[in-house]
Amino acid sequence: MPEYGVFAKTIKIERAGGKNMSKIQMTTPLVEMDGDEMTRILWQMIKDELLCPYIDLKTEYYDLGLEHRNETNDQVTVDSAEATKKYGVAVKCATITPNAARMTEYNLKEMWKSPNGTIRAALDGTVFRAPIVVKGIEPCVKNWEKPITLARHAYGDVYKNVEIKVPGAGKAELVFTGEDGEEIRETIHNFTAPGIIQGIHNTDKSIASFARACFNYALDTKQDLWFATKDTISKKYDHNFKDIFQEIYEKEYDARFKEAGIEYFYTLIDDAVARVMKAKGGFIWACKNYDGDVMSDMVSSAFGSLAMMTSVLVSPSGVYEYEAAHGAVQRHYYKHLKGEETSTNSVATIFAWTGALRKRGELDDIGELCTFADRLEAATLQTIEDGKMTKDLALITSLKDVTVLNSENFIKEIRKTLERLMAE
Ligand code: NAP
Ligand code: MG
């Protein structure tokens, strides 16, 4: 984005203590998507305590809180996705996906669609989920030393299926009628009694987008990429996924992977599952839609906590949207509203910010922004390793003598650690 220039300026500001402290300057704004409930509270605290004191934070702000989505007939969500396409990097707070109860609670004009669904459709993206690994919160699988990032294809298959409950004897066929009227016809089954049938589909275009998003992300993060399907049984459907990945890999990525010292590895889904359990981690596991749905829940729960899981949506055109994998933490928010103390974990939301700031720093060539992101992540992990954490982590940690902090004090402790790391 040349109109913003590429060189960051550092402005020296005098602090009360007399110590010189420089705020990092940004050139291109981040697209900031604010959200709902407890995560909205954490969002503001993170900005006030951990970002604004150190960065001259430049964002284009979109309020995706449910009230504002309702006021704008959800136009704000569409606008925020368009802005993400324009600037290239967004950071998103968790948002409420309305259901019947929310219709009454917020007096909604309509049951607005999931913002994540709207943004995903606009960016045609693939979602990568990675656990935040920290000493003291050990994965259930003891040989997992590094994070396993799961990439889930988000289009088609069983999620866009057509099903029939077969009432009795008869013939089930699969028929494709081309625009020219040409037919392709296969017998599925000759039923002699009641049963069930299902039709599923995918498109070469969507599979190719998914493949490129995975290859790009592997290069970006310098990790091996694994992909698996059941192509030995599904000789056309799943085989098509395998072929498209292979063709794109050979044509566009083979040389770049070799240069980066990483590998693309294809295997059968059952072999992949067995290998994942024995692996050390440190790779990306690309999954078809259903496999990704199931396996991401397994991988994330085995790594410890949903509150320690980041999520990034990557579009084939190289646009990034960072967020926490968890929701708006409604139950904690109601406690907060009653004036009760909460101990809500802000780690994944902090990492959404650091992911976005680091990417912005890389794109705009602002090394200081990347260094700051690294430091804030290090400070967050160090705070936990020092035994200071929120309640959800205290319940599962292997560390002894931990201090359970409330939402605000946890963020304040991270700030203290950050100051210490920056002074070193
Ligand atoms: P949730 O917000 O992820 O919370 C479920 C439970 O997980 C919480 O009640 C809490 O358990 C625990 N938890 C999650 N995040 C935590 C954190 N940061 N710190 C501590 N504990 C945490 O899921 P939900 O309650 O099903 O959904 C709430 C709202 O979020 C819904 O309106 C939903 O639509 C929305 N949502 C949004 C997104 C998104 O924007 N990406 C994703 C999922 C859900 P305890 O109560 O036992 O402490
Ligand atoms: Mg699931």
Side-chain angles (χ1 to χ4, degrees):
M1 256 144 256
E3 71 260 42
Y4 294 99
V6 287
F7 296 105
K9 286 189 289 299
T10 300
I11 296 173
K12 297 273 179 200
I13 56 160
E14 202 74 25
R15 279 208 311 183
K19 208 175 143 194
N20 264 333
M21 163 83 184
S22 37
K23 271 207 194 194
I24 300 163
Q25 296 295 300
M26 295 174 66
T27 47
T28 316
L30 276 177
V31 177
E32 176 183 354
M33 303 168 175
D34 207 344
D36 287 299
E37 300 191 313
M38 201 57 210
T39 44
R40 189 180 179 99
I41 310 282
L42 298 178
W43 195 258
Q44 195 59 48
M45 288 181 188
I46 291 168
K47 282 172 66 179
D48 291 346
E49 281 290 328
L50 302 176
L51 303 176
C52 292
Y54 308 100
I55 303 171
D56 203 2
L57 196 64
K58 203 177 213 171
T59 73
E60 194 162 292
Y61 181 84
Y62 291 86
D63 183 2
L64 266 55
L66 187 50
E67 275 162 21
H68 193 239
R69 272 183 277 151
N70 192 51
E71 278 163 25
T72 62
N73 297 327
D74 209 21
Q75 186 60 36
V76 65
T77 309
V78 175
D79 293 345
S80 73
E82 286 309 313
T84 306
K85 283 191 204 165
K86 176 176 168 195
Y87 293 113
V89 187
V91 56
K92 181 180 170 291
C93 180
T95 46
I96 292 169
T97 299
N99 55 15
R102 301 294 199 171
M103 292 289 289
T104 2
E105 185 185 353
Y106 285 84
N107 193 20
L108 300 181
K109 296 186 236 175
E110 240 181 76
M111 203 185 285
W112 307 111
K113 283 193 236 158
S114 145
N116 286 43
T118 303
I119 295 164
R120 206 179 303 147
L123 303 183
D124 183 20
T126 299
V127 176
F128 296 85
R129 271 191 171 193
I132 299 157
V133 176
V134 56
K135 273 190 223 106
I137 313 291
E138 277 78 29
C140 305
V141 182
K142 62 179 190 300
N143 44 284
W144 288 357
E145 291 166 11
K146 291 181 189 167
I148 294 170
T149 302
L150 213 124
R152 172 183 171 188
H153 186 209
Y155 179 81
D157 299 353
V158 73
Y159 302 85
K160 280 228 183 273
N161 68 0
V162 179
E163 303 181 315
I164 299 174
K165 206 162 155 38
V166 174
K171 183 179 179 184
E173 287 180 288
L174 198 57
V175 183
F176 169 79
T177 315
E179 273 183 341
D180 57 2
E182 195 85 17
E183 269 187 9
I184 307 175
R185 194 175 280 267
E186 293 280 348
T187 302
I188 298 170
H189 189 63
N190 282 305
F191 284 91
T192 55
I196 40 177
I197 50 177
Q198 178 184 60
I200 59 170
H201 80 280
N202 223 300
T203 67
D204 287 1
K205 181 167 178 260
S206 174
I207 299 166
S209 283
F210 174 50
R212 288 197 180 90
C214 292
F215 290 132
N216 288 339
Y217 196 71
L219 282 170
D220 243 26
T221 59
K222 297 228 169 9
Q223 297 184 87
D224 290 346
L225 175 70
W226 295 18
F227 181 47
T229 73
K230 194 69 181 173
D231 66 286
T232 48
I233 299 297
S234 173
K235 288 187 168 43
K236 287 188 181 137
Y237 198 102
D238 277 20
H239 216 289
N240 193 50
F241 277 84
K242 179 185 176 179
D243 289 345
I244 289 175
F245 265 70
Q246 191 61 35
E247 197 186 316
I248 291 177
Y249 176 72
E250 280 168 17
K251 269 200 200 137
E252 301 171 28
Y253 291 95
D254 189 39
R256 287 151 75 190
F257 266 53
K258 290 204 170 96
E259 198 187 327
I262 58 172
E263 204 179 294
Y264 168 56
F265 169 62
Y266 177 86
T267 186
L268 274 176
I269 185 68
D270 30 357
D271 181 49
V273 170
R275 283 173 188 258
V276 163
M277 297 312 281
K278 302 267 183 201
K280 288 197 160 79
F283 56 89
I284 300 156
W285 184 13
C287 288
K288 284 178 61 197
N289 211 346
Y290 175 79
D291 298 339
D293 183 354
V294 177
M295 290 304 156
S296 66
D297 283 354
M298 185 198 75
V299 171
S300 61
S301 60
F303 267 107
S305 163
L306 207 55
M308 296 292 282
M309 186 75 54
T310 61
S311 182
V312 54
L313 175 71
V314 183
S315 85
S317 61
V319 162
Y320 297 77
E321 184 244 321
Y322 293 84
E323 63 171 329
H326 60 78
V329 210
Q330 180 182 21
R331 214 179 59 83
H332 295 208
Y333 182 59
Y334 289 156
K335 277 177 74 180
H336 171 83
L337 288 182
K338 278 193 265 170
E340 290 173 30
E341 193 167 82
T342 59
S343 181
T344 315
N345 188 336
S346 46
V347 172
T349 306
I350 293 170
F351 273 62
W353 275 102
T354 52
L357 289 168
R358 184 185 295 106
K359 179 54 73 184
R360 203 60 274 165
E362 283 167 15
L363 294 175
D364 296 344
D365 204 10
I366 307 175
E368 286 177 289
L369 208 51
C370 302
T371 309
F372 177 79
D374 293 345
R375 281 201 179 135
L376 180 51
E377 288 181 2
T380 305
L381 300 181
Q382 188 60 51
T383 304
I384 298 168
E385 288 172 8
D386 289 345
K388 293 165 193 152
M389 59 189 77
T390 45
K391 192 176 151 199
D392 57 310
L393 296 182
L395 289 170
I396 57 171
T397 186
S398 59
L399 298 175
K400 303 274 180 298
D401 305 321
V402 303
T403 313
V404 178
L405 298 168
N406 66 31
S407 308
E408 193 175 0
N409 286 341
F410 178 59
I411 289 170
K412 289 198 163 138
E413 268 318 312
I414 294 172
R415 171 133 185 216
K416 282 189 207 156
T417 316
L418 181 64
E419 296 276 343
R420 205 176 76 215
L421 293 184
M422 295 205 301
E424 274 167 14

